[in-house]
Amino acid sequence: MSNGENGLELGGGYAKPRGYDTLGSFMSSFPETAIFRRFGALSAQDLLLRQAELADLEEELRFYQQEDRDSRHVDRERYAVSWDTLKQSVDEDAKDGNDSSQLKTLLIIREKLKDYQDALIRHRQTADLQRPVPGQVKALNEWMERPSMGNVFLQGVDRNLWRDPDFDDLASLAPPPVESNPTNGYTLALIQLYNKLVRIYNSLPWKPIFVRKIYPLKPICAPNLSLLAGSIYTY
C-alpha cells in the first residue's frame, strides 16, 4: 500500500481517501470515537485577554464614577444613587454639565462581562470533560488509516491529531466506563486473548484445513469491538 496522487494504491487500483464527512458520520454512529481537542491553552489565553480588557474598563469606570461624585453638579452627584438620572445623561436634552462617560462605559462592560462569563463557564465545562483512554484513540486512528474501513486521510494541520495525540488536551464525549462496568473489562480481556491467539495462528507456517474452511481468523478492532463491548478498545 502506498500513497498515490489521487488516493491509496490497493492491488493496482486506487481508493480515494475520504475526509471530514466520513469521519463525522462515523463519530455519530459510534460516540466512543467522538474525540476532540480542548484547545485548553488557547481557551485560557482568551480568558486572560478578556480579563485584562475588563480590568482596564473597570479602572475607567471607577475614574468616571469618582469624577461624577466630585463634580459638584446636581445631576452627576446623583448618578451613584439614581438610575434614572444616570440613564438621562446620554439624552440630547440633558442639562448642561451632564457627562455620559460613566453610563457608556457601564454599557460596554455589560456586554464584555457577559461574553467573559460565558467563556469562563464554557472553559470550565470543557475542562471537566474526561480524557479518552489510549485504546479509544488508537482504535479511531486505525479505523481512519485502514483503506478497508475509514480510509480517512486529512491533509491539514489536524492530520496528526489522533496519530500523535496530546492526551492532556483531548476530550472524549463518550469515555468507556471500564471501572464502573466490569463487563467491559471482561470483554476487553477476552478480545485481547482472542487477538493474541490470532497472531499466533497467523504466524504458523501451515494452517489447519478445518479452520480455513470455517472462517479466516482476523483480529477484532473498531468498530467491531464497539458493537461487542459498548465501548471502543483495541488490542
Side-chain angles (χ1 to χ4, degrees), residues 181-192:
N181 189 349
T183 303
N184 286 340
Y186 297 146
T187 305
L188 175 60
L190 180 61
I191 295 299
Q192 290 175 330

Side-chain angles (χ1 to χ4, degrees), residues 26-129:
F26 182 70
M27 288 181 171
S28 176
S29 299
F30 298 93
E32 298 89 347
T33 64
I35 300 169
F36 302 93
R37 278 195 61 185
R38 303 170 190 269
F39 292 100
L42 283 180
S43 180
Q45 180 180 344
D46 178 59
L47 283 172
L48 289 170
L49 293 174
R50 290 176 183 271
Q51 177 179 259
E53 184 180 23
L54 277 168
D56 188 53
L57 286 168
E58 181 183 30
E59 187 171 317
E60 287 185 28
L61 176 63
R62 301 307 180 214
F63 173 79
Y64 293 135
Q65 288 174 332
Q66 189 62 48
E67 275 202 332
D68 290 334
R69 279 194 294 267
D70 298 339
S71 66
R72 297 182 180 275
H73 187 278
V74 63
D75 289 336
R76 291 176 64 183
E77 287 181 332
R78 298 184 66 233
Y79 288 170
V81 296
S82 173
W83 164 247
D84 286 336
T85 306
L86 177 61
K87 180 177 63 175
Q88 292 169 6
S89 66
V90 296
D91 292 346
E92 293 182 359
D93 58 350
K95 295 179 182 179
D96 290 341
N98 274 276
D99 190 333
S100 61
S101 298
Q102 181 180 165
L103 179 60
K104 290 178 179 178
T105 305
L106 274 170
L107 295 178
I108 294 174
I109 288 176
R110 177 179 294 175
E111 293 300 319
K112 299 289 185 181
L113 188 60
K114 178 181 180 297
D115 292 341
Y116 170 77
Q117 291 171 337
D118 288 344
L120 192 64
I121 292 172
R122 290 196 302 270
H123 181 82
R124 172 59 187 272
Q125 291 173 337
T126 303
D128 286 342
L129 292 173

Side-chain angles (χ1 to χ4, degrees), residues 145-179:
E145 292 186 346
R146 292 193 182 189
S148 61
M149 291 185 175
N151 193 27
V152 173
F153 287 87
L154 305 180
Q155 298 180 4
V157 295
D158 56 341
R159 62 186 179 276
N160 293 323
L161 195 154
W162 301 280
R163 184 180 302 158
D164 185 21
D166 176 6
F167 282 96
D168 288 336
D169 198 45
L170 290 182
S172 172
L173 302 189
V178 179
E179 296 81 2

Side-chain angles (χ1 to χ4, degrees), residues 172-220:
S172 172
L173 302 189
V178 179
E179 296 81 2
S180 60
N181 189 349
T183 303
N184 286 340
Y186 297 146
T187 305
L188 175 60
L190 180 61
I191 295 299
Q192 290 175 330
L193 176 60
Y194 169 81
N195 287 330
K196 182 177 181 180
L197 293 175
V198 169
R199 287 194 294 271
I200 295 174
Y201 166 80
N202 289 333
S203 66
L204 295 176
W206 55 272
K207 305 292 189 295
I209 296 178
F210 73 92
V211 175
R212 282 182 289 172
K213 288 185 176 181
I214 295 175
Y215 188 74
L217 297 182
K218 297 180 180 179
I220 295 178

Side-chain angles (χ1 to χ4, degrees), residues 8-27:
L8 297 175
E9 188 175 356
L10 296 172
Y14 286 94
K16 288 188 177 180
R18 303 185 181 97
Y20 297 108
D21 54 341
T22 299
L23 182 57
S25 297
F26 182 70
M27 288 181 171

